[in-house]
Amino acid sequence: VCLGMQSMVIEYARNVLGIKDANSSEFDDNTENKLVIEMLEHHTGKMGGTMRLGARKTLLHPLPESANQPKSIASLLYDGAESVMERHRHRYEVNPDYVERLENNGLNFTGKDETNQRMEIVELALSEHPFFFGVQYHPELKSRPEKTSPPFHGLILAASGRFEKYFSLPAQAYSVPANGVKKRSPSKTEDSSALKKQRSGSVNINPIST
């Protein structure tokens, strides 16, 4: 969520694209590769009234054919909606100058603002990660006890091993190597056993270096 999504983009740029000094200008304004930058509305040194606040429309975009996945996580969570209204509170955003390069290397921005310049939702295909999903907005601000916000609903489903069943998806085998994205195509038997082992905590997954 918000800074978390920005950190996901930075991590991907460092460990998949090999941009070792990728960072946010909020953390290091001297880095050459600013994957996250201040919005034009934010004037450095002037804090009052410079945040992007309130409900904003996010347009949902399909995954590329290369993802080999009929629907994006965003589309599944928001029940096939073409757009959603979510509340925002931020001064920094993903640098649009890097978006094409990130997308060409497997990182999918499935939610963008109406100008197509601001990245709102980022995800990886389910064949690459069980739930790599981040949003720029704050879904917690609209979440209610009996009406859970879709991103949090998806997180709980994935954490409990029920995401595929809930959305009637074929079971996936998630193997996360050092770079976090390499796909594999196991047999159906391996698919089932690997998934059960991972959910029971018996599969060791090497953490992605930062």
Side-chain angles (χ1 to χ4, degrees), residues 4 11-12 15 27 33 40 55-56 84 88 93 118 126 143 156 158 171 182 200 205-206:
E11 187 277 339
Y12 199 88
N15 293 288
F27 308 143
N33 288 288
L40 295 177
R56 309 277 181 149
V84 297
H88 294 69
E93 64 182 349
R118 286 193 165 132
L126 289 170
S143 195
I156 297 302
K182 185 178 180 180
S200 66
I205 299 178
N206 295 324

Side-chain angles (χ1 to χ4, degrees), residues 7 14 37 68 70-71 75 78 112 118 184 190 200:
S7 297
R14 288 179 180 180
I37 57 174
N68 195 28
K71 292 186 177 181
S75 181
Y78 286 101
K112 301 178 183 180
R118 286 193 165 132
R184 66 186 181 117
E190 182 186 1
S200 66

Side-chain angles (χ1 to χ4, degrees), residues 64-78:
E65 291 185 7
S66 58
N68 195 28
Q69 182 178 315
K71 292 186 177 181
S72 66
I73 295 175
S75 181
L76 291 170
L77 295 180
Y78 286 101

Side-chain angles (χ1 to χ4, degrees), residues 67-163:
N68 195 28
Q69 182 178 315
K71 292 186 177 181
S72 66
I73 295 175
S75 181
L76 291 170
L77 295 180
Y78 286 101
D79 198 25
E82 294 183 357
S83 65
V84 297
M85 292 292 290
E86 293 282 5
R87 293 171 64 183
H88 294 69
R89 188 182 185 279
H90 64 110
R91 288 191 180 91
Y92 293 82
E93 64 182 349
V94 174
N95 188 342
D97 292 342
Y98 288 86
V99 168
E100 183 177 2
R101 185 175 174 187
L102 288 162
E103 290 185 320
N104 288 340
N105 283 274
L107 191 63
N108 305 302
F109 291 99
T110 55
K112 301 178 183 180
D113 79 336
E114 294 177 285
T115 69
N116 213 42
Q117 292 297 306
R118 286 193 165 132
M119 304 302 108
E120 297 279 6
I121 302 175
V122 64
E123 60 181 270
L124 287 178
L126 289 170
S127 58
E128 298 181 359
H129 193 283
F131 195 74
F132 191 95
F133 182 82
V135 296
Q136 179 60 65
Y137 48 81
H138 286 266
E140 73 275 13
L141 297 178
K142 293 179 66 175
S143 195
R144 299 293 182 267
E146 295 185 359
K147 190 177 181 181
T148 308
S149 173
F152 291 109
H153 186 206
L155 174 62
I156 297 302
L157 286 172
S160 61
R162 299 179 180 179
F163 190 91

